[in-house]
Amino acid sequence: MKINIIGGGPAGMYFAILMKQADAAHDITIYERNGPDDTFGWGVVFSGKTLANLRDADAISHAEITREFEAWDNVDVVQGHDKISIHGNSFSGIARIRLLKILRARCERLGIRIHFRSEVGDIDALKRESDLLIGADGVNSSVRQRYADHFQPNLSARPNKYIWYGTNQLFHGLTLTFRENDAGVFAAHSYKFNQTTSTFIIECDPETWSRGGFAEMSDGDTRECLEQVFAEDLHGHELLSNNSKWINFALVKNAHWQFENVVLLGDALHTAHFSIGSGTKLAMEDAIALKQCFDRASSVSAALAQFEEVRKPVIEDYQAAAYESMLWFENGRAYMRITPIELAYALMTRSGRVDRETLIRRDPAFIAAYERQPRASS
Ligand SMILES: Cc1cc2nc3c(=O)[nH]c(=O)nc-3n(C[C@H](O)[C@H](O)[C@H](O)COP(=O)(O)OP(=O)(O)OC[C@H]3O[C@@H](n4cnc5c(N)ncnc54)[C@H](O)[C@@H]3O)c2cc1C
């Protein structure tokens, strides 16, 4: 089968690996607009369950990915001088650039062609010469836009502003930190992803952002201001920028996922708020699901129809939980007057996927402490 893939991110490369591994006769080409060493972002995070899926799908890349991993089991919630740790959560982090390099090396060894610095302009022409065309071209997907009449995308920009930094301060666990200044409330989502660096995403509501004067601030002044907001947490370490800019989270959905021999994967197809887990996990699990449909189906159109049928409910469920989590952070200011342990409980249960029973299993000491505490709200 002649497979052309637009986008050399995790979704595109991982799908190529899985298909080529299943049948070396597939002729697979990836077109990537960036160079091999260009990347944005810092670390990506996977749950224990996702790692098991990656191991079952491709043991070789799984071994390389896990060799580089930083693993932890705690979520830390920090507010004022208090830090509440909740254990029993299994997560790991790796630098996005390392992940992409591992996947690229695996593609090359399998004989998959990757054309870097290759922007696909004429999508129709590529579609005509493909048995299967994959739109793995990220959140601003041109493939989705080209066939928008068929995919019927639903795109919305959320009100909160966020900015993706790194730092050499190491956060040993998924750390959610809340700080206030005259402008309002800022939340940081941070975790270490190698032995020297952590991801540090800062989020605030639009009122805080306007009062903070960030619209007129240079990149350097923005970092300096946010370093002051999180001075107690950064311990003198700088915020590291990788062309970091304030953005609004873009929620992407598509009514239809496939059109003739074209299918979308990863961020092109759907996004889920970063507070619930990374888009990288969903992108790679999409690739696994689509490859499994090709194992079972006898034609491209049957495989794509099956992919939409099997994977869409999973993604809708995930997006629903991510939506609740996103709303929680959009209304974060409302939670600043409860006690730290109440805040921690509210955070752990925000998506509706984790309840008291789950927390009793994961960390009975946390629930015991929570239930012993007098409530600010009672
Ligand atoms: C600013 C920012 C920072 C982020 N940082 C992190 C992070 O630190 N950790 C994390 O887990 N997630 C991060 N994410 C989210 C994460 O990148 C995605 O959820 C994940 O990478 C989805 O994988 P994907 O393969 O679907 O898309 P992507 O990784 O976005 O890959 C799509 C690829 O397609 C290429 N492309 C697009 N159009 C064309 C074209 N016409 N021709 C050729 N190539 C094209 C792009 O260059 C890109 O490499 C970040 C997102 C943003 C916007």
Side-chain angles (χ1 to χ4, degrees):
M1 191 161 51
K2 189 165 173 46
I3 305 174
N4 285 310
I5 300 176
I6 306 183
M13 284 199 284
Y14 202 55
F15 179 70
I17 290 166
L18 300 183
M19 290 300 280
K20 189 75 176 175
Q21 188 185 234
D23 185 347
H26 289 317
D27 175 3
I28 307 180
T29 307
I30 299 175
Y31 296 88
E32 168 54 50
R33 70 151 67 107
N34 288 333
D37 296 317
D38 304 343
T39 190
F40 58 82
W42 297 94
V44 303
V45 66
F46 294 123
S47 67
K49 186 154 175 280
T50 300
L51 283 182
N53 294 338
L54 298 185
R55 186 191 55 227
D56 293 347
D58 178 33
I60 295 176
S61 57
H62 171 267
E64 289 181 44
I65 291 166
T66 47
R67 211 175 10 251
E68 309 265 343
F69 255 180
E70 291 292 320
W72 65 85
D73 92 325
N74 54 309
V75 174
D76 289 351
V77 178
V78 179
Q79 186 199 27
H81 298 301
D82 294 292
K83 178 166 95 173
I84 309 279
S85 294
I86 304 102
H87 292 274
N89 311 280
S90 163
F91 293 108
S92 319
I94 185 173
R96 177 178 154 94
I97 182 96
R98 275 302 304 147
L99 174 69
L100 292 180
K101 282 188 172 162
I102 289 168
L103 296 180
R104 189 177 103 213
R106 182 97 176 95
C107 281
E108 285 165 355
R109 275 198 303 273
L110 285 166
I112 295 158
R113 279 181 302 278
I114 308 184
H115 297 303
F116 287 105
R117 300 194 180 82
S118 180
E119 168 100 33
V120 174
D122 192 344
I123 296 170
D124 290 341
L126 197 62
K127 175 178 180 295
R128 278 194 299 274
E129 65 167 65
S130 311
D131 295 313
L132 173 65
L133 177 64
I134 303 283
D137 50 349
V139 68
N140 298 313
S141 170
S142 319
V143 178
R144 185 182 67 220
Q145 199 179 328
R146 173 66 192 91
Y147 303 117
D149 287 351
H150 302 279
F151 293 125
Q152 294 178 20
N154 179 341
L155 313 176
S156 58
R158 299 303 304 181
N160 271 15
K161 294 280 187 187
Y162 74 101
I163 189 161
W164 218 299
Y165 287 121
T167 174
N168 294 127
Q169 171 65 27
L170 295 182
F171 294 91
H172 305 275
L174 180 60
T175 307
L176 300 166
T177 306
F178 296 86
R179 297 286 171 211
E180 292 186 68
N181 70 6
D182 293 344
V185 177
F186 296 83
H189 310 241
S190 56
Y191 54 88
K192 78 172 176 182
F193 61 82
N194 65 24
Q195 291 185 0
T196 56
T197 331
S198 301
T199 291
F200 200 85
I201 307 163
I202 301 171
E203 176 175 14
C204 66
D205 62 32
E207 297 77 22
T208 302
W209 192 79
S210 301
R211 276 196 297 270
F214 291 108
E216 297 81 35
M217 247 183 237
S218 68
D219 290 353
D221 289 347
T222 301
R223 268 191 295 148
E224 210 171 291
C225 172
L226 294 171
E227 281 162 4
Q228 279 169 20
V229 171
F230 290 98
E232 214 174 317
D233 313 289
L234 292 169
H235 298 281
H237 289 285
E238 292 176 329
L239 290 174
L240 307 171
S241 171
N242 181 355
N243 196 24
S244 305
K245 305 275 179 224
W246 286 108
I247 43 182
N248 294 75
F249 176 72
L251 185 56
V252 174
K253 296 182 179 191
N254 284 274
H256 304 289
W257 287 20
Q258 32 109 15
F259 158 61
E260 297 180 351
N261 60 339
V262 187
V263 65
L264 301 175
L265 279 191
D267 273 12
L269 185 57
H270 49 68
T271 55
H273 192 249
F274 51 83
S275 58
I276 194 166
S278 76
T280 310
K281 158 216 155 69
L282 291 180
M284 293 175 78
E285 289 178 344
D286 278 357
I288 295 172
L290 181 57
K291 187 266 175 186
Q292 285 172 345
C293 292
F294 275 98
D295 290 344
R296 290 189 293 261
S298 54
S299 66
V300 169
S301 57
L304 300 192
Q306 208 182 92
F307 173 63
E308 179 166 344
E309 190 186 321
V310 173
R311 183 77 175 145
K312 207 172 185 191
V314 177
I315 291 294
E316 283 173 354
D317 194 34
Y318 207 88
Q319 284 189 313
Y323 192 80
E324 293 304 317
S325 177
M326 179 184 74
L327 289 184
W328 195 98
F329 280 97
E330 287 176 1
N331 296 300
R333 179 192 295 271
Y335 294 91
M336 290 304 107
R337 301 290 164 251
I338 56 179
T339 65
I341 199 151
E342 284 179 294
L343 177 67
Y345 185 86
L347 265 166
M348 291 305 293
T349 53
R350 69 189 183 275
S351 72
R353 284 197 150 189
V354 172
D355 59 11
R356 179 176 175 276
E357 301 311 310
T358 318
L359 287 171
I360 288 175
R361 277 197 306 279
R362 287 191 192 170
D363 191 342
F366 166 70
I367 285 295
Y370 169 70
E371 292 182 347
R372 261 197 321 269
Q373 280 281 315
R375 305 284 148 79
S377 49
S378 61

